[in-house]
Amino acid sequence: MLATPSMTVMSGEIPGASPDHHMMSPTGNISRRAPFPYVNHSPNPSREFSGSIGNVAWKERVDGWKMKQDKGAIPMTNGTSIAPSEGRAATDIDASTEYNMEDALLNDETRQPLSRKVPIASSKINPYRMVIVLRLVVLSIFLHYRLTNPVRNAYPLWLLSVICEIWFALSWILDQFPKWFPINRETYLDRLALRYDREGEPSQLAAVDIFVSTVDPLKEPPIVTANTVLSILAVDYPVDKVSCYVSDDGASMLTFDALAETSEFARKWVPFVKKYDIEPRAPEFYFCQKIDYLKDKVQPSFVKDRRAMKREYEEFKIRINALVSKALKVPEEGWIMQDGTPWPGNNTRDHPGMIQVFLGHSGGLDTEGNELPRLVYVSREKRPGFQHHKKAGAMNALVRVSAVLTNGQYMLNLDCDHYINNSKAVREAMCFLMDPNLGPQVCYVQFPQRFDGIDRNDRYANRNTVFFDINLRGLDGIQGPVYVGTGCVFNRTAIYGYEPPIKAKKPGFLASLCGGKKKASKSKKRSSDKKKSNKHVDSSVPVFNLEDIEEGVEGAGFDDEKSVLMSQMSLEKRFGQSAAFVASTLMEYGGVPQSSTPESLLKEAIHVISCGYEDKSEWGTEIGWIYGSVTEDILTGFKMHARGWRSVYCMPKRPAFKGSAPINLSDRLNQVLRWALGSVEILFSRHCPLWYGYGGRLKFLERFAYINTTIYPLTSLPLLVYCILPAICLLTGKFIMPEISNLASIWFIALFLSIFATGILEMRWSGVGIDEWWRNEQFWVIGGISAHLFAVFQGLLKVLAGIDTNFTVTSKANDEEGDFAELYMFKWTTLLIPPTTILIINMVGVVAGTSYAINSGYQSWGPLFGKLFFAFWVIVHLYPFLKGLMGRQNRTPTIVIVWAVLLASIFSLLWVRVDPFTTRLAGPNIQTCGINC
C-alpha cells in the first residue's frame, strides 16, 4: 500500500474482476496491478506535490514562450523549428524535419480543403423561401382581420383566441427564419489521411479524449454502458490518440466491476472487429442485426471467428448479468472489496474521489499483442454541503482529469447509451476541426442523434427527425447547430472559455475610430501564430500564445519572476488551484509535460475532482459546461456562440452514433419535461438570449434560434387555451369568429394553403417523410399541453419560491421482451391529466354540439361545421396519446376509465344544466309592448 498525506493506493482484488489491470508506473508506462482505484480520503487533499509539478510545467511553458518570442520559432521535439522566413508571413520547415513539408506542398491534394459546403438546390430552396414570405404576408392580413372584427356576443372567447394566434405567429417566426439558409456538408477522409495519417509514417492526427457519463447502473444497465465503451475502444483512429474516460457519478461498485470485465473482453473484441472491418463495433448491436453478415467478407476464417466471438460475448453478458443480480441485494455493512476494505462509494453522497486506469498505452495489449486505447474510471468526490451540479459538474470533472492525464486537443462526449455506430466518426469530425482554414473558428462538431429500438410508426416522435434533419441543418448555414448533449466533438480551447481568433479585416472609418485597428492587429497576430504549421507538432512541446489567454498581465515582462508568478496566479484564480492543470491549458496542441511522472499526474487528477476544487473559480460560469439549468447543453453551446465561435453539423451517410430512446408514453413525457424545464430556467436566468451577449459576436438569426429554444415551453399556455376553445364553443353555441365575407374566406384558405405548402417544401429539401413530419406535429400538441405546461409552472416555482425539482434518470433498458413491450406499458403520472381532460371535453363537446344541431334544425348545421373542424383538429392531434392510454389490445387501465367517467359526468351535468333540447324561440319583448303583444 502506497500512502501520501492526501491519498492512498489500495491493493487487492475485486470479486468478479480479473487482477490483470493497470496502474501508472514511475517509468511512464502502465504497470500491472490489482484493479483498485486511486482514492482521495481527504475532503481537502494536500497540494505539496502540486507545487513542484506545476512549477516545472510552468517553467517549461514560459521557456517555450520566450523561445518563440525571441527566435520567432516553434520548438520541435527533434531539435528543429518552424521559423517564419524574412519578408514572408508563410512558414517554412527545414528539409531535415520528419514532416517532409516540401513533398506535402508539392502535392495538390494535401492543400485541398478537408470538407466543403453543399448548398441546397435552388429549385428546392427558392420556392421554399418564396412560400415563407407569402405566408408571412397572408398571416399579417389574417391577424389584421381578426383584430378589426371582434365577436360581440363572445368577446372573451374572441379575445383569448386572438392573443393565442398572435403568440403562435411570433413563435412561428422564431422557428422558421433560422431555417432560411440550410446547407449540407461533405467530408474528404482520403485527404485527411494524406495530410495527417500517411501509411508508414507516425500519425499526426490530433489526440481525442472521449467522455462517457453514467449515474445509476440499475436504470442505465451496465451491458449498455459496456457496449458504448467497447465501440469507443474499437474506433478507427490511432490507438495512442484515443483515451476513454467513464464518469460514474453514482460511485457504484457494479459499474466499476462491469468496467473491469469490459476491459478484459475488449482484448478479444477489438482485434476481431478491426481484422474483419466490422460495423457497428458494439457487439450487442452487431450480433442482433438482421442482415447477411457474410456480405463483402472474403476471409475463410471469418465464420469460425465470428461464432467463437459470439460465444465469448454471450459468456461476457452472463458475467455482467451475474454482477447485476448480485448488486440488487446490498449488504447491510455495504460492499466489501476482496482485501477486506469497504468500497469507498458505499455512501453515494459522501465519498472520496476515485480514479482507476484499466487500460493504457504500452500496458494494455489485446490478444494479438497490439496496444489498446486508454480506459479510465472516474468517480468525483462528493461531500454533504457542496453543490455538485449533476451532469454538468461530472462533465467538468472529466475535462480536468483528462487534461491532467492525457490532455487531448479535442473531446468527444457520449451518453452511456450512445455507442459509436460509424467507426470513422472521429475522423469525420477531424475533417472540420483540423482543417487549417475552418478549424480555428470551430468550437464543436455536432452529429445528429439516431436511435435503435423505436417502434415502426414512431408513435411519440422519438426520432425527432424534424429537429435533427431540418432545424439543425438550417442553423449550420448561419453560425452552427446548438449543442444537444451527446455525440459532439469539442475544441478544448473553446471549453476553456477563450474566444476564437478573429479573422483580420480592413477596418472601416467607424471601426477605426472605435479601436478596430488595434483589435485587427491582435487578431492578425493570433491567426499568424495559429498557422505557423500545417502539420501537428509534437503534443508535449509547450506551443502557445500567452497573448491569447493571459488576462491582467498585458505588458508584463517575463524576465521578471514576479510577473511570471502574477500570471500563474491569475490563471489559477480562473481555472482553480492546480498548477498542473493550469499548465495543461497552455498546451496549444494538447499533451502532458515530458518532465511529469504518472504518479504525480494521478495525484493531481484526484485533486482536480475534489468537491471544493471549483470554489472561487470560473468553472460553470465561464469555463466548461455551464451551470444553472438541467439542460446544460443548450447553455454551454450558447455561451460559445456568444463569444464568436461557430459550430458545424456533420451528417455522414452512415450514422455516427446511435442510442436508445424511451418509447413508453410516461417516460417520453418525463424526458420532454426535463428538457422544457431547462429552457424555462435559462429564460429566467442572466443567460437568457433575449438580453445576454449583445456585446459579443452572436449572429442575429442564431439568436432567434436560441430565443426559440428558451421560450417554446411558454407556448403551452396559449396552446392549452386553443385546445379547450372548440369544446367551449360547442357547449355554449358561441364561436370565436364572426360571419366571414367571401374576401375573408379567400384569406383563410390562403393561410391554410401556405401552412401546408411550407411543410411540403420543407420535406422536399430535407428528405423528411410526411409520416415523420406529421408525428412531430402531433407530439408538439401532446407535449405542449402536458410536459411543457408543467415545466412552466415548475420553473416559476423554482425561480420565485426556490423550490427545486429532482429528476430521475430515464431508463435505458433494452426491449428484451420483444414486440416493443415497453411501448404498451402504462405508467401513471400527473402529466397525463391535462391531455386526458382535453381529449374528453372535446369528445363531449362534439356529442353536445351535434345533438343540439339535430334538435334545432338544418339552419344550425352551418355554424356547427366550423366548431367541429377545430374540435376534430384537437382530437386528431391527440390520437397517439389516446392509443397510449388504451394500452395493448385496447386494455384500458382502470385509472383512465375512472378519470374519463368522472370528467364525462361533470360535463354532462353542465350540458343538462344548459338544457340544449329546449327549443329556443325568438318572440316579442313583453316589457316593450306589454299585454297588447
Side-chain angles (χ1 to χ4, degrees), residues 514-805:
C514 300
K517 189 173 182 180
K518 182 179 178 181
K519 292 182 180 179
S521 64
K522 288 186 176 181
S523 63
K524 185 176 180 180
K525 184 176 181 181
R526 289 196 203 104
S527 60
S528 64
D529 287 338
K530 288 282 185 178
K531 295 181 180 179
K532 284 186 178 180
S533 172
N534 288 330
K535 288 281 188 178
H536 257 53
V537 300
D538 185 65
S539 62
S540 62
V541 178
V543 181
F544 55 89
N545 185 358
L546 286 177
E547 186 180 359
D548 284 348
I549 54 180
E550 290 297 331
E551 292 183 0
V553 294
E554 202 168 290
F558 275 85
D559 292 334
D560 187 357
E561 294 182 2
K562 184 177 180 180
S563 299
V564 176
L565 181 61
M566 288 174 58
S567 62
Q568 183 175 1
M569 290 176 62
S570 66
L571 286 176
E572 286 191 351
K573 185 177 180 180
R574 181 177 187 179
F575 290 106
Q577 296 297 312
S578 171
F581 173 73
V582 170
S584 72
T585 65
L586 302 180
M587 291 291 199
E588 188 176 2
Y589 296 106
V592 296
Q594 293 178 343
S595 59
S596 60
T597 62
E599 282 75 11
S600 60
L601 290 179
L602 277 173
K603 292 175 183 179
E604 190 72 0
I606 284 288
H607 168 59
V608 298
I609 60 172
S610 60
C611 53
Y613 178 81
E614 296 181 355
D615 293 347
K616 299 180 180 179
S617 70
E618 296 184 5
W619 283 100
T621 56
E622 299 296 332
I623 300 172
W625 271 252
I626 306 301
Y627 304 149
S629 171
V630 294
T631 52
E632 70 290 328
D633 45 4
I634 297 294
L635 198 53
T636 302
F638 174 59
K639 292 276 284 188
M640 294 182 189
H641 283 132
R643 294 188 186 106
W645 291 95
R646 74 151 295 125
S647 55
V648 169
Y649 197 48
C650 182
M651 297 180 64
K653 292 182 179 179
R654 180 179 179 86
F657 310 100
K658 281 191 175 183
S660 61
I663 62 174
N664 177 267
L665 176 60
S666 299
D667 290 341
R668 173 70 166 140
L669 289 177
N670 276 296
Q671 182 188 57
V672 173
L673 170 62
R674 184 175 65 83
W675 295 342
L677 179 60
S679 295
V680 174
E681 290 172 342
I682 297 174
L683 179 63
F684 293 116
S685 71
R686 74 181 185 93
H687 291 115
C688 177
L690 285 168
W691 51 72
Y692 181 84
Y694 279 97
R697 290 179 279 169
L698 185 67
K699 293 187 178 180
F700 184 68
L701 287 179
E702 191 80 10
R703 185 179 296 277
F704 259 39
Y706 275 108
I707 291 174
N708 187 49
T709 60
T710 54
I711 70 168
Y712 78 88
L714 298 183
T715 307
S716 61
L717 298 174
L719 184 61
L720 178 69
V721 172
Y722 220 71
C723 288
I724 296 176
L725 282 176
I728 295 177
C729 292
L730 286 167
L731 291 171
T732 60
K734 302 181 183 300
F735 199 42
I736 58 176
M737 291 186 184
E739 293 185 7
I740 58 177
S741 62
N742 292 334
L743 181 61
S745 300
I746 293 175
W747 290 117
F748 272 87
I749 295 173
L751 178 62
F752 282 106
L753 289 178
S754 66
I755 292 173
F756 288 124
T758 305
I760 292 171
L761 292 175
E762 206 166 63
M763 289 183 282
R764 183 167 174 255
W765 68 254
S766 66
V768 173
I770 190 171
D771 54 337
E772 296 171 317
W773 181 85
W774 174 237
R775 290 298 185 207
N776 181 78
E777 293 294 312
Q778 288 179 310
F779 198 79
W780 176 74
V781 175
I782 295 171
I785 60 177
S786 57
H788 298 173
L789 184 66
F790 277 69
V792 171
F793 290 108
Q794 289 185 8
L796 290 173
L797 286 174
K798 183 174 182 179
V799 172
L800 300 178
I803 302 175
D804 202 356
T805 305

Side-chain angles (χ1 to χ4, degrees), residues 730 842-852 868 911:
L730 286 167
N842 274 280
M843 289 179 175
V844 171
V846 169
V847 174
T850 306
S851 301
Y852 173 76
L868 289 177
W911 180 35

